[in-house]
Amino acid sequence: MRQTSFATLDAPAPNPSMGASSTANEYLNFLCMLINNGVYNGIKVLREEAIKEMRTIQTQEGQIKSEPKAAEGMPYTLGSWAVETNGKEANASTSSGLLGPIAIVDWCRGYAFVLFSKALQNEQRKEPCVEMAEAVNDRLHSK
């Protein structure tokens, strides 16, 4: 990911907690690596156990006191919110930055996408992303 950086112009050191600056292509490459259990273009980037841990539900109902509107009612994994679960881990997850795009990774159906909004909105909404995922799922089931 040569075009991705965790540094900001005003910070002396990288800060992963504030997110990354990247290209759409590199973001999708990263998501493809997640779908393929840590492998991208035949190269193991992360161990499969690391991906499994990332997908593991980290919270129980009632533990989350505050969440983004776009993640209401979703359990939390490591760095993302579980859109669908099998009870212990995410079958599909979403990750949205405060100011950036919304991504969905669906391990069961084998796809990922990133939704870019035209302008920043005051309140993140999950509906457009969920609607897009439902449209993709419907299309996959119609084949």
Side-chain angles (χ1 to χ4, degrees):
M1 296 181 58
R2 297 174 192 263
Q3 297 175 1
T4 300
S5 174
F6 289 96
T8 61
L9 296 175
D10 59 350
N15 184 355
S17 68
M18 295 300 290
S21 173
S22 189
T23 65
N25 190 50
E26 286 199 349
Y27 197 0
L28 284 172
N29 289 345
F30 177 76
L31 299 178
C32 288
M33 182 269 305
L34 293 178
I35 287 174
N36 291 299
N37 293 315
V39 177
Y40 179 72
N41 278 347
I43 299 168
K44 183 173 281 279
V45 178
L46 292 173
R47 292 190 338 247
E48 191 169 338
E49 296 81 15
I51 303 297
K52 185 169 180 59
E53 185 64 27
M54 289 173 70
R55 293 176 59 187
T56 300
I57 304 300
Q58 304 292 322
T59 59
Q60 296 180 14
E61 196 171 325
Q63 281 186 308
I64 299 172
K65 303 301 180 198
S66 179
E67 63 207 356
K69 186 153 182 75
E72 282 181 353
M74 296 180 189
Y76 190 72
T77 61
L78 291 178
S80 65
W81 300 89
V83 178
E84 293 178 7
T85 74
N86 64 13
K88 295 182 179 181
E89 68 182 13
N91 291 336
S93 65
T94 183
S95 180
S96 58
L98 183 60
L99 303 174
I102 299 171
I104 284 194
V105 176
D106 190 320
W107 285 273
C108 291
R109 296 172 189 92
Y111 72 85
F113 68 82
V114 180
L115 180 66
F116 294 90
S117 62
K118 185 174 179 181
L120 297 176
Q121 298 181 9
N122 292 337
E123 186 176 293
Q124 287 187 346
R125 293 179 33 229
K126 65 181 172 185
E127 291 86 7
C129 207
V130 170
E131 288 171 7
M132 182 176 274
E134 288 173 352
V136 170
N137 293 343
D138 289 345
R139 180 72 175 141
L140 288 173
H141 283 78
S142 69
K143 287 187 174 186

